[in-house]
């Protein structure tokens, strides 16, 4: 019956996770870290002297720092544009097709960048590369969450931190190895490697299932039945499939047509409230300060902490690896502990690490202080990834109604990319102007996140995607959702839509309450 590579059930989910989600997130991490690692390479500086800050005359340093930040930030600008395109087209052409198109665009961007011989082509390639990655990031977490079982949804999408960390680590290790090569291949090969990430995504998405929720949304019920049967490893005539389809259609009826204007209206489903939480989670991720350090980790170690260039590259790779370890911790704890506790613990640890980094790096000539600051930078990346590495992307795909899921995730991803571009642009300037005081800004921001998360972000672990509609319908205000979420039963059993509705919902209880409102 199934034509999805002959796979069904759990095996089908694992292939989707490893064949599409993993290379997509690794490519995002790799792209975030690769250019920052080649900025100080001899052949790159010779090819693009406009970006050579290390050998610049003091009078030119500010200009070149600004230009360097702009070029790095253009990747995020492209990501913003890619996410915005998904708002209009993501729900029209489907999850899989959007992912494939975005992957092809990323492949083209990597090729253009690797073949750059002047600053203009480099600038254009950064935008194209970001355009593809932005489309992927706005769509892949949605697709993965919609085909994953409820009790595994958090762990599956939570692997974002693991795979992004793996990509970042790979980028810096490649940059380290190529730093010993004194030819143009030293930087051309590293920036060409995203081509290898795009190829498996393009291949697997052509053979793996479309989101059953999107198929139901588009009225393609026979295909939806086959996908659900494959994901559940059952037959298409199983009576539970009809009940699952009915629940999704009821959820769609409650949400309405899903027009863009609805995003800015509250309504009985509190859509604007939900959109604000989706955007807010990704904004908090950026405000941790992770992008500022990730983009320029090698430069921070070498230029601002005065560590030997080779050692700096090794430390930068180790720094990214600590994030991978944090992501693994998140995967194994996210369903047991829940989203809220991990976010709160992460915000507390981030605050402590940031203030210690600021204090230890303030005396620029203190080698012991600099080395201790490196330790707390590692701990910061670990703690940040445990809470914020994957949960904001998961949260944005969980709390949004099906009819507006792509639109709201496109907006959320677009704002995340816009802040990422801003971070890449201002970081070189801010470090030159503020030095260690720059970390104090993020100390305050991380501390502010603690009450925000505690008061505003409800727990979603164990809830079916359709049950989350009920959570917001039952809420009477912005501060009420956390209380309501505590009262809802958070199930651990697999739901019918490959775990997205629970065994109790098979009797129609939660959505019956929704339909009666």
């Amino acid at each position: 019956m199934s034509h999805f590579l002959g796979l069904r059930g759990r095996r089908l989910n694992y292939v989707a996770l490893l064949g599409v989600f993993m290379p997509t997130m690794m490519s995002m991490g790799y792209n975030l870290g690769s250019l920052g690692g080649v900025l100080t390479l001899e052949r790159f500086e010779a090819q693009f002297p406009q970006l050579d800050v290390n050998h610049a005359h003091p009078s030119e340093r500010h200009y070149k720092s600004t230009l360097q930040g702009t070029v790095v930030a253009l990747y995020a600008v492209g990501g913003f544009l890619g996410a915005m395109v998904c708002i209009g087209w993501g729900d029209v052409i489907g999850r899989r097709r959007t992912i494939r198109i975005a992957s092809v665009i990323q492949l083209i961007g990597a090729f253009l960048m690797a073949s750059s011989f002047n600053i203009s082509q480099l600038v254009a390639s950064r935008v194209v590369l970001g355009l593809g990655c932005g489309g992927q990031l706005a769509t892949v977490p949605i697709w993965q969450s919609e085909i994953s079982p409820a009790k595994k949804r958090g762990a599956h999408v939570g692997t974002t931190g693991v795979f992004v960390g793996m990509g970042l680590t790979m980028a810096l290790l490649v940059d380290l190895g190529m730093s010993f090569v004194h030819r143009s291949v030293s930087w051309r090969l590293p920036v060409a490697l995203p081509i290898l990430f795009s190829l498996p995504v393009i291949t697997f998405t052509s053979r793996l299932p479309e989101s059953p929720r999107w198929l139901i949304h588009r009225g393609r019920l026979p295909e939806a039945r086959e996908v659900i049967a494959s994901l559940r490893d059952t037959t298409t005539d199983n009576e539970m499939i009809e009940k699952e389809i009915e629940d999704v259609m009821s959820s769609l009826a409650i949400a309405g047509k899903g027009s863009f204007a609805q995003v800015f209206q509250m309504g009985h489903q509190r859509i604007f409230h939900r959109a604000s939480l989706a955007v807010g989670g990704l904004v908090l991720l950026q405000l941790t300060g992770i992008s500022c350090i990730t983009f320029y980790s090698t430069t921070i170690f070498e230029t601002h902490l005065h560590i030997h260039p080779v050692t700096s590259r090794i430390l930068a790779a180790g720094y990214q690896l600590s994030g991978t370890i944090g992501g693994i911790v998140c995967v194994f704890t996210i369903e047991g502990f829940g989203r809220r506790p991990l976010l709160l613990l992460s915000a507390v640890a981030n605050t402590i690490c940031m203030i210690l980094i600021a204090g230890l790096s303030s005396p620029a000539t203190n080698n012991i202080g600099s080395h201790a600051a490196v330790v707390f930078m590692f701990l910061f990346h670990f703690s940040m990834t445990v809470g914020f590495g994957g949960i904001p992307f998961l949260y944005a795909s969980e709390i949004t109604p099906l009819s507006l899921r792509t639109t709201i995730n496109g907006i959320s991803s677009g704002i995340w990319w816009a802040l990422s571009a801003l971070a890449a642009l201002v970081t070189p300037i801010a470090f030159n102007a503020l030095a260690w005081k720059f970390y104090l800004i993020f100390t305050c921001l991380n501390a502010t996140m603690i009450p925000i998360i505690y008061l505003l972000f409800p727990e979603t672990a164990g809830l079916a995607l359709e049950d989350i509609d009920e959570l917001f319908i039952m809420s009477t205000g912005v501060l009420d959702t956390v209380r309501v979420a505590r009262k809802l039963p958070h199930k651990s059993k697999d739901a019918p839509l490959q775990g997205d509705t629970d065994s109790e919902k098979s009797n129609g209880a939660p959505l019956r309450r929704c339909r009666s409102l």
Side-chain angles (χ1 to χ4, degrees):
M1 181 195 303
S2 175
H3 59 272
F4 305 124
L5 298 172
L7 301 172
R8 304 177 66 80
R10 183 179 300 177
R11 291 183 179 179
L12 182 56
N13 265 278
Y14 286 156
V15 170
L17 183 69
L18 299 177
V20 177
F21 196 78
M22 181 177 75
T24 298
M25 294 302 153
M26 283 188 67
S27 70
M28 188 183 79
Y30 188 90
N31 291 331
L32 286 171
S34 62
L35 187 60
V38 304
L39 285 174
T40 56
L41 291 178
E42 177 185 342
R43 295 305 302 173
F44 185 85
E45 292 176 335
Q47 187 69 55
F48 306 105
Q50 304 94 326
L51 306 179
D52 185 1
V53 177
N54 290 331
H55 303 99
H57 188 274
S59 62
E60 298 180 322
R61 187 160 295 170
H62 176 76
Y63 167 76
K64 291 192 174 183
S65 294
T66 303
L67 184 59
Q68 184 185 91
T70 301
V71 172
V72 174
L74 283 172
Y75 168 69
V77 172
F80 171 81
L81 296 175
M84 291 297 101
V85 169
C86 288
I87 293 175
W89 288 98
D91 267 331
V92 175
I93 64 177
R95 318 292 196 230
R96 292 190 311 159
R97 192 175 298 173
T98 301
I99 295 169
R100 281 201 300 273
I101 293 173
S103 299
V104 170
I105 293 173
Q106 180 185 241
L107 186 152
I108 294 171
F111 176 80
L112 289 173
M113 189 172 174
S115 60
S116 296
F117 284 92
N118 56 64
I119 192 71
S120 299
Q121 184 176 346
L122 181 67
V123 165
S125 67
R126 291 291 288 174
V127 175
V128 175
L129 186 71
L131 186 67
C133 197
Q136 289 179 329
L137 187 61
T139 310
V140 173
I142 299 176
W143 177 74
Q144 187 65 54
S145 69
E146 289 180 341
I147 68 171
S148 296
K151 72 174 185 178
K152 293 292 185 181
R153 188 177 66 237
H156 286 180
V157 184
T159 54
T160 298
V162 179
F163 297 144
V164 170
M166 289 170 58
L168 284 162
T169 304
M170 180 179 175
L172 292 170
L173 288 175
V174 170
D175 290 342
L176 171 63
M178 299 307 292
S179 67
F180 298 100
V181 178
H182 302 289
R183 290 177 293 164
S184 63
V185 70
S186 64
W187 68 268
R188 294 189 188 278
L189 177 62
V191 300
L193 285 182
I195 294 173
L196 300 181
F197 293 118
S198 298
L199 294 176
V201 177
I202 296 168
T203 301
F204 278 104
T205 49
S206 65
R207 302 298 305 276
L208 291 176
E210 179 58 90
S211 162
R213 287 179 170 82
W214 181 82
L215 291 171
I216 295 170
H217 187 201
R218 306 303 293 183
R220 295 160 61 174
L221 300 187
E223 294 175 66
R225 289 188 184 93
E226 183 174 358
V227 170
I228 296 169
S230 296
L231 290 171
R232 291 193 61 206
D233 196 10
T234 187
T235 58
T236 55
D237 58 357
N238 189 312
E239 63 179 12
M240 294 301 300
I241 293 180
E242 291 302 322
K243 293 181 179 179
E244 295 157 14
I245 292 175
E246 180 185 348
D247 283 343
V248 176
M249 293 178 71
S250 297
S251 178
L252 285 168
I254 292 169
K257 296 181 179 180
S259 64
F260 183 78
Q262 277 186 278
V263 176
F264 305 98
Q265 300 169 3
M266 192 65 77
H268 65 284
Q269 273 216 321
R270 304 190 63 79
I271 293 176
F272 181 70
H273 179 189
R274 297 164 76 169
S276 298
L277 288 176
V279 172
L282 291 172
V283 170
L284 293 183
L285 167 58
Q286 283 292 356
L287 295 182
T288 61
I290 187 61
S291 290
C292 296
I293 299 178
T294 297
F295 278 137
Y296 299 100
S297 55
T298 304
T299 305
I300 290 172
F301 292 136
E302 183 177 343
T303 305
H304 300 286
L305 295 179
H306 309 288
I307 297 173
H308 188 274
V310 175
T311 306
S312 294
R313 294 182 184 278
I314 295 173
L315 288 174
Y319 166 79
Q320 306 301 349
L321 184 61
S322 67
T324 303
I325 298 171
I328 293 172
V329 172
C330 174
V331 169
F332 284 100
T333 58
I334 189 170
E335 296 298 348
F337 283 18
R339 282 59 157 160
R340 275 168 51 86
L342 291 183
L343 286 170
L344 287 168
L345 288 172
S346 180
V348 171
N350 292 348
T351 303
I352 295 171
C353 289
M354 276 294 180
I355 196 168
L356 289 172
I357 293 170
L360 291 168
S361 60
S362 57
T365 58
N366 185 343
N367 289 333
I368 296 177
S370 295
H371 295 163
V374 171
V375 172
F376 284 103
M377 287 180 71
F378 277 51
L379 290 175
F380 162 74
H381 200 193
F382 171 83
S383 66
M384 190 286 307
T385 311
V386 169
F388 291 91
I391 292 177
F393 297 100
L394 167 66
Y395 209 78
S397 64
E398 285 184 326
I399 65 171
T400 49
L402 174 58
S403 58
L404 289 165
R405 194 163 289 154
T406 300
T407 299
I408 294 175
N409 274 265
I411 295 171
S412 303
S413 297
I415 293 175
W416 182 86
W417 281 109
L419 291 174
S420 183
L422 181 63
L425 181 63
V426 305
T427 297
I429 303 169
F431 268 120
N432 284 332
L434 299 175
W436 61 272
K437 297 176 185 176
F438 191 40
Y439 298 110
L440 294 178
I441 297 174
F442 295 111
T443 300
C444 297
L445 290 173
N446 279 283
T448 305
M449 294 177 197
I450 300 171
I452 291 175
I453 294 167
Y454 183 80
L455 294 172
L456 301 180
F457 284 74
E459 183 59 70
T460 57
L463 287 177
L465 292 179
E466 282 70 44
D467 284 344
I468 296 174
D469 292 335
E470 179 187 14
L471 189 162
F472 285 92
I473 290 173
M474 295 173 63
S475 299
T476 58
V478 173
L479 298 177
D480 196 38
T481 52
V482 173
R483 178 190 64 82
V484 173
R486 290 196 185 105
K487 294 184 177 181
L488 285 177
H490 292 249
K491 301 91 180 174
S492 60
K493 294 182 180 180
D494 280 1
L497 251 183
Q498 186 54 134
D500 274 340
T501 51
D502 52 83
S503 57
E504 291 180 16
K505 182 179 278 190
S506 66
N507 296 322
L511 281 178
R512 191 180 302 121
R513 289 197 295 273
C514 292
R515 286 193 291 267
S516 68
L517 294 175

